[in-house]
Amino acid sequence: HVQLQQSGPGLVKPSQTLSLTCGISGDTVSSNLSAWNWVRQSPSRGLEWLGRTYHRSRWHTDYSTFIKSRMSVNPDTSKNQFSLQLRSVTPEDTAVYYCVRAERTKGTFDIWGQGTLVTVSS
Amino acid sequence: DVMLTQSPLSLPVIPGEPASISCRSSQSLLHSNGYNYLHWYLQKPGQSPQLLIYLGSNRASGVPGRFSGSGSGTDFTLKISRVEAEDVGVYYCLQTVQPTWTFGQGTKVEIK
């Protein structure tokens, strides 16, 4: 039974870095059958895929074009988790952020974290 | 990026009646492996989205048989054969054929 547990602050000041972590149980971050994603949701922009990391002989990362310059997704094999860092945030980055597993045979997201509301405000 | 357009955006339903949601893509979602990389999710109030249908027509584990997905290429449909009260929420389609994955705008289903 796979579960994802998110952690991180709910309030970030403008121009600072948003950092979230997603702990994995029931799977491993280095699995060849899974990819580990961040998705966010806001009333104005809906659901947006942000980026992913996954291991297929070596580590790969992909990012959505609109956020690529500000974002990093990193695996941590020692803690079986992965993280999101979003730099230079503005109020438009206020959203619920989800960590999500994508399972290779289904070709899509199948397990979601509980979501973290992150507000960007001074 | 691939754009997905859902219709309708709001769908009042009567319990026991059928319901249908359309998702149209700006590009074909048919992969060379023969699968359509179009999936359906339901987000109930206060919850994370949950997978209903993957690869166009496959029901996810635990999803009731009243949900079905069909379509190919650029036109897809989610059908509920007989709506139940627990089916209310927002339904999203998602494409994963391109490296950048994109969602539809969502269709809000509520009891009439």
Side-chain angles (χ1 to χ4, degrees):
Chain A
H1 182 52
V2 179
Q3 289 185 304
L4 303 177
Q5 182 66 41
Q6 299 179 217
S7 58
L11 181 63
V12 182
K13 289 182 167 50
S15 80
Q16 294 192 342
T17 297
L18 183 164
S19 296
L20 295 173
T21 300
C22 183
I24 303 165
S25 59
D27 197 354
T28 61
V29 70
S30 56
S31 166
N32 285 328
L33 294 178
S34 301
W36 306 98
N37 299 259
W38 290 97
V39 171
R40 72 181 182 184
Q41 184 174 30
S42 64
S44 58
R45 299 171 68 104
L47 285 163
E48 299 178 294
W49 172 77
L50 301 177
R52 69 171 73 90
T53 186
Y54 57 100
H55 189 268
R56 305 285 186 266
S57 303
R58 64 175 178 88
W59 286 103
H60 301 262
T61 52
D62 300 313
Y63 300 107
S64 188
T65 308
F66 77 94
I67 210 161
K68 184 176 184 177
S69 62
R70 299 193 290 133
M71 185 159 163
S72 300
V73 179
N74 292 294
D76 183 340
T77 56
S78 66
K79 296 181 179 178
N80 201 32
Q81 64 186 28
F82 63 108
S83 64
L84 161 69
Q85 289 201 315
L86 183 60
R87 298 174 288 277
S88 304
V89 296
T90 72
E92 288 200 351
D93 294 311
T94 294
V96 176
Y97 287 75
Y98 294 98
C99 60
V100 197
R101 185 183 82 163
E103 200 273 336
R104 194 171 178 179
T105 57
K106 295 187 182 72
T108 189
F109 304 131
D110 65 340
I111 305 292
W112 295 66
Q114 78 274 24
T116 301
L117 173 59
V118 179
T119 302
V120 179
S121 174
S122 54
Chain B
D1 292 353
V2 175
M3 283 190 58
L4 297 179
T5 303
Q6 290 183 230
S7 61
L9 298 184
S10 178
L11 182 58
V13 296
I14 297 172
E17 294 293 305
S20 177
I21 300 170
S22 169
C23 180
R24 290 206 165 108
S25 174
S26 62
Q27 299 177 32
S28 176
L29 304 182
L30 180 61
H31 193 277
S32 56
N33 63 13
Y35 291 104
N36 285 283
Y37 280 70
L38 187 283
H39 321 278
W40 292 96
Y41 292 81
L42 166 59
Q43 186 173 30
K44 295 183 178 181
Q47 296 184 15
S48 306
Q50 60 188 81
L51 179 63
L52 295 175
I53 303 288
Y54 64 95
L55 297 175
S57 60
N58 299 279
R59 267 193 306 277
S61 176
V63 174
R66 62 182 181 274
F67 291 94
S68 65
S70 63
S72 184
T74 60
D75 288 337
F76 298 87
T77 303
L78 175 71
K79 292 182 179 175
I80 310 173
S81 59
R82 288 176 300 279
V83 173
E84 296 191 6
E86 65 182 22
D87 300 336
V88 299
V90 183
Y91 290 77
Y92 295 94
C93 54
L94 165 72
Q95 70 78 23
T96 62
V97 77
Q98 298 283 345
T100 297
W101 295 3
T102 50
F103 291 88
Q105 322 97 297
T107 296
K108 187 172 185 179
V109 171
E110 49 196 2
I111 299 297
K112 189 182 285 187

